[in-house]
Amino acid sequence: MESAVELEKVSHVYVNGRGAYPALQEISLTVRQGEFVSLIGPSGCGKTTLLSLISGLLKPTAGSIRVYGERVEEGVQRIGYMLQQDYLFPWRTIGANASLGLELLGRLDEAAQERVDGLMNEMGLGGHSQRYPHQLSGGMRQRVALVRTLATEPDVLLLDEPFSALDYQTKLQLEELVAGTLKARGKTAVLVTHDITEAVAMSDRVIVLQPNPGRLLADLEVPERIRGASPLKARETEGFHELFHRLWGLFDGMEKGGGRSHG
Ligand code: ADP
Ligand code: MG
């Protein structure tokens, strides 16, 4: 299968007035077209840094990053980013927030507006276009953010803990919606989460990072029958708990080993 995202020995060092901090060290990984990959690891292990590098917001200190074969430094337009905070503008209506990405790219023509309206309906926001962000619940706001992200038709979605500020039930509903929507459209996705359950339930593959500096610790395929189920159903599928415990064990080992591994 075609590779969508390719990282080759990517390292990143933050430099500021107090010195240099190595955040990521020699990360090599490939995400295939249409694959849903989760990135998990303790706080500070470099997950957000990795997404910023893939999106091109940050330039790696060393190594190369390619999206569909193009180096990200050359301005790849095929990436959409969704964050924990929805970053909706309070003075714009929901509809105007949803079409903002297209507007900024100068691509908001009639056809694009129809696409936004279609997505709004699909996300259950059809009747809410004229309302303002403060009038919506957290889950609805994240759905607006999802419409805004999908409206620009990115091939790769980077999701940085988009469900972590939501209550449990809303989070489960949104997981279903996001997983279903991205699968149906054949999108490639990289989800950052600190929730092992969410990672297993949503992904084809789970990648574990360890901190100081951020390195790959494990890269596990999710078994076919769990992958084939929706996130809600996946949680009840045979093998789910085994995989959860394996990942849990890796986290536990990191804490006991102080984040250092040998060999
Ligand atoms: P995560 O998302 O896994 O919690 P981050 O990618 O945000 O981790 O951060 C990785 C490490 O890099 C952390 O130790 C963090 O303190 C450090 N870091 C992040 N951003 C900066 C920055 N702008 N300057 C210096 N250090 C940073
Ligand atoms: Mg982060």
Side-chain angles (χ1 to χ4, degrees):
M1 223 187 250
E2 192 190 356
S3 73
V5 180
E6 250 181 303
L7 281 79
E8 221 182 290
K9 292 197 172 168
V10 169
S11 297
H12 193 70
V13 179
Y14 285 109
V15 181
N16 60 29
R18 276 168 295 160
Y21 178 81
L24 289 173
Q25 185 178 300
E26 299 208 340
I27 308 278
S28 296
L29 67 92
T30 300
V31 182
R32 295 184 292 272
Q33 161 58 35
E35 197 176 24
F36 196 118
V37 171
S38 283
L39 217 55
I40 61 173
S43 177
C45 70
K47 303 182 295 295
T48 295
T49 303
L50 199 58
L51 290 194
S52 302
L53 289 168
I54 295 172
S55 74
L57 286 173
L58 276 180
K59 249 183 140 91
T61 310
S64 86
I65 302 167
R66 289 172 188 275
V67 177
Y68 294 102
E70 287 176 63
R71 291 182 72 101
V72 290
E73 295 95 286
E74 278 141 32
V76 183
Q77 297 277 322
R78 304 174 72 169
I79 291 179
Y81 217 143
M82 192 174 160
L83 307 165
Q84 179 179 343
Q85 255 191 299
D86 53 52
Y87 293 105
L88 299 180
F89 288 117
W91 59 85
R92 284 188 150 225
T93 62
I94 295 309
N97 267 291
S99 57
L100 181 66
L102 286 163
E103 200 180 309
L104 292 176
L105 292 169
R107 281 168 41 195
L108 188 57
D109 55 18
E110 209 171 307
Q113 184 59 56
E114 266 174 38
R115 200 163 65 235
V116 173
D117 296 342
L119 281 165
M120 289 284 282
N121 288 329
E122 209 180 313
M123 302 300 149
L125 294 163
H128 301 286
S129 289
Q130 294 312 311
R131 299 175 76 186
Y132 286 86
H134 76 270
Q135 298 174 299
L136 304 189
S137 66
M140 289 171 89
R141 293 169 59 118
Q142 276 303 48
R143 280 186 270 149
V144 178
L146 181 62
V147 172
R148 186 182 55 194
T149 306
L150 288 173
T152 61
E153 301 192 296
D155 296 309
V156 178
L157 278 107
L158 306 177
L159 309 160
D160 198 349
E161 309 204 15
F163 314 119
S164 58
L166 305 172
D167 63 77
Y168 189 65
Q169 196 174 342
T170 306
K171 167 192 157 85
L172 291 184
Q173 286 167 346
L174 215 62
E175 280 181 21
E176 291 283 296
L177 187 68
V178 169
T181 304
L182 299 191
K183 268 270 134 53
R185 289 175 164 73
K187 301 286 185 197
T188 306
V190 182
L191 168 75
V192 161
T193 176
H194 55 252
D195 180 340
I196 301 174
T197 312
E198 180 175 295
V200 177
M202 291 195 72
S203 318
D204 299 317
R205 218 164 101 214
V206 181
I207 292 171
V208 187
L209 293 182
Q210 60 180 329
N212 302 315
R215 284 156 296 158
L216 290 186
L217 177 65
D219 185 333
L220 302 176
E221 290 276 342
V222 175
E224 190 59 49
R225 58 180 181 280
I226 301 176
R227 246 192 277 173
S230 79
L232 213 54
K233 290 263 159 49
R235 287 172 162 83
E236 297 157 11
T237 302
E238 193 197 327
F240 184 88
H241 294 285
E242 284 82 347
L243 188 49
F244 172 87
H245 284 292
R246 244 175 102 188
L247 291 163
W248 178 264
L250 290 173
F251 268 68
D252 224 26
M254 267 189 263
E255 275 164 20
K256 293 190 177 116
R260 295 276 168 194
S261 76
H262 305 281

